[in-house]
Amino acid sequence: MRFVSLLSSLLCLLPLASTFPSDPYTVFEKLNTVPKGWMEESTGPSPSDPITMRIHVKQQNVEAFEKKLLDISTPDHSEYGNHLEMDAIQQMLQPSDESIGTVRQWLESNGLGNDLRIESDWIYATMTMGDLERLLQTRYRSYRDLETGARRSRTLSYSVPRHVKSHVNMIHPTTSFARARAMRSAVLYHKAADDATIPAGCNSSITPTCIGDLYGTANYTPKSTPAKMSVAGFLEEWPQRADLTEFLAKYDASNAKAAFPCVLVNGGTCDQTTNTSNIVEANLDIQYAIGINNEVPTTYYSTGGRPPILGGGENDNEPYLDFLNYILKLSSSDLPTTISISYGDAENTVPPSYAKSVCNLFAKVGARGVSVLAASGDGGAACDDSSGSDVLTPIFPGGCPYVTTVGALVGVQPESAVDFSGGGFSNYFAQPSYQAAAVKSWIKGNYDPALKGLYNASGRAFPDVSAQGNDFHVIIAGTDELVGGTSASTPTFSSIINLVSNQLLVEGKPPLGFLNPFLYSNGKAGLTDITSGISYGCAGADGFNAVEGWDPVTGLGSPVFQKLVTAAGGT
């Protein structure tokens, strides 16, 4: 039987070589090993399995667009607040006719011209897995996520014709092993709550009332509610309406009738269930987004995940690509004002081409006037010893310079860094100008000499800010539990920002949009610097310390609502 299997594999290779174009192929992307946390299965996908390939075509005027984004996001600049319509963004970044034509001709010459869809800088082609392998001169295998059991068809290396390579940013699915994991601390995941632990000072556990008292939103009653808060949901995680009703009745009675629409993106669902493995993250996000925003409307976007597709094969929906492209197609009147993302994964599981294409989408969303915030992760300094030596592993998408990354705090008077709060430096993205001075000051202070050499000091540094993230009361399938992690701090800080944008809109001003240039300049006046606490590092050692100024565990600090409104030009 082993001989037959080997013979079949060899026969399968024969037609592959004969169908390659005459133009020399060159390797586009290659992984040396299977990423940590994944295991190769004994068999690969069937050549007849259907698959949709996405190609991100090289854009024009990228530097001009990035400058424009910084201009409209930087206080005191004449362009500040002049957010862009999607048509203007597409016109600026539209790939050249040569690039679109070259990629299209490549696909058509391989018999793939009948099922093409071109949307600005993206080309979608439907084919079989066998077609994809021939097109990219590679073999796909099945890989299993050791944490979730999910399976993905991926390759560790693929090639394209030499003349095509310069016209392409990314091809998916190929070498990306990204998992949009929920950022919550396993230590605090399922800890039973006792009513006696609800303190007036919020030192032991957190409720929406605590957040309002700590960050100054308790007495905010907007004259109107033009802002739109949103929560991004992935991995078949669904918020439960019955749990929200119970949560609001217990912890936010004045807002007890609040509800949320659940918008389904690319096969997403919003099931109502008692399966706690599918609801913890979503319940945490929606209960605190609504509990803090009160009258300001909140929407849950559920992006499709991993179920099988009709006709066989696998659903290779990729959460960030699907979700962000959906958001970008919305009209200005339907756009959310703020997006909270409590998901992420190790940057080294994401190919650079993929990470940069997704980060480009975040930049477009920011240019439209939407504030996007993402969790910094729950791994502290995020040590990865899989290579045999201790190296600090950054998070994605938190390492993208066009999202605002949120760390976690614990305690009050003073607030301190909690040990699991993720932070560090990207290995893919250069340090943006808006944070250069703040990071330079931290490096000059030589605060954590034991970690020097384990991170890329010239990379994009994170987190940018922080908020409470420990022991949040959450109703889960009718039970009051305590949940913690940057999954808690992210919707918290996001909600404060959304209320700031709401007040600006009430006053006839534009919303904050892409936050970071504001936060590292005028916005610092609306943040409380955190100077105590430490994250954990490698093999039980200490990670990063919270110090005066920016640091890679608490960022610039926690929010003060009215001070942020004032710093943003509101009253």
Side-chain angles (χ1 to χ4, degrees):
M1 292 297 292
R2 294 178 63 185
F3 172 78
V4 172
S5 176
L6 177 61
L7 180 60
S8 298
S9 297
L10 291 171
L11 289 173
C12 200
L13 283 170
L14 291 177
L16 184 68
S18 64
T19 58
F20 289 155
S22 58
D23 186 47
Y25 266 57
T26 183
V27 173
F28 190 89
E29 207 153 36
K30 181 178 181 179
L31 301 181
N32 293 324
T33 61
V34 178
K36 183 180 179 181
W38 291 84
M39 176 179 287
E40 183 178 337
E41 300 280 73
S42 58
T43 59
S46 168
S48 62
D49 285 348
I51 193 77
T52 296
M53 179 181 71
R54 314 165 196 223
I55 301 175
H56 188 211
V57 184
K58 195 86 72 175
Q59 299 167 303
Q60 300 185 100
N61 307 314
V62 173
E63 290 185 4
F65 169 72
E66 291 174 345
K67 182 182 184 302
K68 182 73 170 179
L69 175 57
L70 288 177
D71 289 346
I72 65 177
S73 306
T74 301
D76 302 327
H77 193 281
S78 60
E79 293 283 331
Y80 184 59
N82 292 334
H83 303 126
L84 305 178
E85 294 292 339
M86 192 57 198
D87 286 348
I89 296 173
Q90 287 180 333
Q91 185 174 358
M92 183 178 291
L93 292 171
Q94 181 66 29
S96 67
D97 291 342
E98 180 188 3
S99 291
I100 292 290
T102 298
V103 176
R104 182 170 192 160
Q105 184 181 37
W106 171 48
L107 296 172
E108 290 175 343
S109 68
N110 281 272
L112 301 172
N114 293 330
D115 293 302
L116 292 183
R117 187 172 85 255
I118 300 176
E119 296 182 3
S120 186
D121 49 331
W122 291 88
I123 296 180
Y124 301 82
T126 301
M127 62 191 74
T128 66
M129 188 61 74
D131 291 332
L132 183 60
E133 289 182 326
R134 284 187 287 274
L135 183 72
L136 300 179
Q137 290 198 358
T138 190
R139 281 282 177 258
Y140 278 74
R141 305 296 296 177
S142 291
Y143 297 90
R144 179 165 53 88
D145 183 341
L146 297 179
E147 180 179 331
T148 68
R151 287 173 169 79
R152 292 285 183 270
S153 294
R154 294 291 185 268
T155 182
L156 299 185
S157 176
Y158 64 99
S159 301
V160 299
R162 190 169 297 165
H163 76 282
V164 171
K165 185 175 183 179
S166 62
H167 298 283
V168 172
N169 283 332
M170 182 205 76
I171 299 176
H172 180 81
T174 50
T175 57
S176 174
F177 286 77
R179 300 169 295 184
R181 294 188 298 177
M183 295 290 102
R184 57 175 179 264
S185 167
V187 176
L188 308 175
Y189 184 4
H190 273 290
K191 185 163 68 176
D194 184 336
D195 284 346
T197 67
I198 306 175
C202 307
N203 262 313
S204 300
S205 59
I206 296 295
T207 68
T209 300
C210 291
I211 297 300
D213 290 340
L214 279 169
Y215 300 142
T217 60
N219 297 320
Y220 176 59
T221 303
K223 294 180 180 179
S224 60
T225 55
K228 300 180 183 70
M229 179 64 191
S230 69
V231 172
F234 309 107
L235 301 181
E236 298 93 56
E237 289 263 356
W238 311 298
Q240 303 301 293
R241 291 185 168 86
D243 286 343
L244 173 65
T245 298
E246 184 175 340
F247 176 81
L248 294 175
K250 187 171 185 177
Y251 294 119
D252 192 13
S254 64
N255 196 30
K257 294 184 179 181
F260 63 93
C262 190
V263 176
L264 308 182
V265 179
N266 203 18
T269 58
C270 210
D271 291 356
Q272 300 302 290
T273 178
T274 56
N275 183 353
T276 57
S277 66
N278 289 347
I279 66 177
V280 176
E281 178 60 48
N283 273 10
L284 166 62
D285 288 344
I286 207 71
Q287 287 173 22
Y288 278 83
I290 290 177
I292 297 169
N293 277 277
N294 289 313
E295 300 170 25
V296 179
T298 297
T299 297
Y300 188 86
Y301 288 92
S302 176
T303 301
R306 300 178 298 246
I309 58 175
L310 294 176
E314 64 180 80
N315 184 334
D316 205 54
N317 289 352
E318 202 299 316
Y320 303 121
L321 293 178
D322 293 333
F323 172 65
L324 295 172
N325 276 310
Y326 177 89
I327 291 294
L328 285 168
K329 292 176 183 177
L330 293 176
S331 66
S332 295
S333 60
D334 291 331
L335 267 182
T337 312
T338 309
I339 299 174
S340 177
I341 301 176
S342 292
Y343 296 81
D345 201 7
E347 187 181 75
N348 60 11
T349 68
V350 181
S353 65
Y354 170 90
K356 291 172 183 177
S357 289
V358 172
C359 194
N360 173 273
L361 292 174
F362 279 119
K364 292 179 182 180
V365 172
R368 294 202 64 190
V370 181
S371 301
V372 182
L373 298 92
S376 71
D378 295 343
C383 184
D384 179 9
D385 59 0
S386 60
S387 63
S389 60
D390 292 336
V391 177
L392 303 188
T393 304
I395 197 81
F396 183 82
C400 168
Y402 301 116
V403 303
T404 299
T405 311
V406 186
L409 307 174
V410 63
V412 297
Q413 298 177 338
E415 292 183 295
S416 299
V418 67
D419 56 5
F420 60 74
S421 182
F425 297 78
S426 172
N427 292 319
Y428 290 173
F429 300 102
Q431 200 167 104
S433 59
Y434 61 72
Q435 67 170 185
V439 177
K440 182 179 180 180
S441 178
W442 177 80
I443 291 174
K444 186 176 180 181
N446 195 31
Y447 294 109
D448 301 294
L451 299 179
K452 189 170 292 186
L454 302 183
Y455 56 84
N456 173 27
S458 63
R460 189 279 203 256
F462 67 94
D464 301 297
V465 291
S466 51
Q468 288 287 315
N470 198 53
D471 281 356
F472 276 46
H473 284 270
V474 182
I475 302 299
I476 302 170
T479 301
D480 194 337
E481 299 190 13
L482 297 179
V483 180
T486 49
S487 275
S489 58
T490 302
T492 297
F493 202 104
S494 299
S495 294
I496 304 299
I497 288 298
N498 195 61
L499 292 178
V500 174
S501 282
N502 189 80
Q503 182 58 31
L504 294 175
L505 288 166
V506 167
E507 297 178 18
K509 299 177 174 67
L512 288 169
F514 172 44
L515 286 170
N516 293 355
F518 163 73
L519 291 173
Y520 283 87
S521 57
N522 296 14
K524 286 191 292 186
L527 301 171
T528 300
D529 191 13
I530 308 301
T531 59
S532 62
I534 186 171
S535 63
Y536 49 68
C538 302
D542 289 341
F544 295 112
N545 283 275
V547 297
E548 184 176 344
W550 180 89
D551 58 70
V553 60
T554 67
L556 297 167
S558 61
V560 182
F561 171 68
Q562 188 54 52
K563 289 184 178 181
L564 281 170
V565 171
T566 302
T571 57

